[in-house]
Amino acid sequence: MEKQMSTLICFALKEEAAPFRKIAAGNAATAQAKILITGIGRQNTEKSVREFLTANSPELVLTCGLAGGLNPDLKHGEVVFELAGPAANDQKLVANLAAAGAKPVKFFCADHIATTVAEKKALRDETGADAVEMESAVIHAICRERGIPCAIVRVISDTASEDLPLDFNALSKSDKNLDYGKLFLAIAKSPGKIGALMQLQKKTKLAAEKLAEVLAKITFP
């Protein structure tokens, strides 16, 4: 039997990780796959990953979770990936990801959530990226320092043609986490947004489940 590679799988939020955690709990190879909840954004992610690596030496790091679509061709629930550092020429990993149903793309790592169609189009025009997220650049940088192969594997939660129902940047605390007080106030001011928020919650849950399926295929072959 082929030796199982030790893998660190990073998610910003526990909700993004929940479906994969459920699958991993029933797999005998779970000991080789460590899940790390980093928090949202560069600062939280850098602190969490550096702390983990002081006591652990994974052979592969995956930066996972939700991503916004910038390429109009990407659909909700599509799992996409990009390799970096020592993993960039890992044809076996590319083949495994493709066989699991993931599509190669170019990511842009932003410092805030892209919430509108107009902003997504501007990012697409400026960067040429296909998808946007907020944590992977710093994870790549840390892995590059240590010579650890690293790959982004994420799922499209909102497409290039979709506005998010609220500006979640304005509803975030200084540490990038959601301020529920601000959220409840925003909903009270715009109760018509409740339906769209519930739909977004449903779609992100389904997207996280799609991502979990792909991660399980490449982590527990």
Side-chain angles (χ1 to χ4, degrees), residues 21 72 75 85 96 113 127 141 145 152 156 177 196 208:
R21 197 186 291 278
K75 299 176 178 61
N96 288 344
I113 301 167
T127 69
E145 288 174 11
I152 309 174
I156 301 300
N177 289 310

Side-chain angles (χ1 to χ4, degrees), residues 106-177:
K106 178 183 177 183
F107 281 91
F108 175 69
C109 190
D111 60 3
H112 66 279
I113 301 167
T115 61
T116 67
V117 171
E119 184 175 9
K120 293 174 189 178
K121 184 179 185 304
L123 284 175
R124 170 76 167 165
D125 292 344
E126 291 167 13
T127 69
D130 300 295
V132 60
E133 47 81 51
M134 295 176 60
E135 292 81 30
S136 295
V138 69
I139 296 176
H140 279 175
I142 294 169
C143 289
R144 195 178 303 115
E145 288 174 11
R146 296 169 179 260
I148 303 171
C150 181
I152 309 174
V153 187
R154 290 181 174 255
V155 63
I156 301 300
S157 57
D158 53 286
T159 68
S161 62
E162 292 178 290
D163 288 324
L164 294 180
L166 293 171
D167 180 1
F168 291 101
N169 299 296
L171 304 178
S172 299
K173 296 181 282 190
S174 59
D175 64 0
K176 299 290 187 181
N177 289 310

Side-chain angles (χ1 to χ4, degrees), residues 33 122 125 128 149 189 198 221:
D125 292 344
K189 289 180 176 178
M198 292 179 66

Side-chain angles (χ1 to χ4, degrees), residues 2 8 10-11 24 85-86 99 117 124 145 147-148 201 209:
E2 185 178 352
L8 172 62
C10 301
F11 296 88
V117 171
R124 170 76 167 165
E145 288 174 11
I148 303 171
Q201 183 181 38
E209 290 170 356

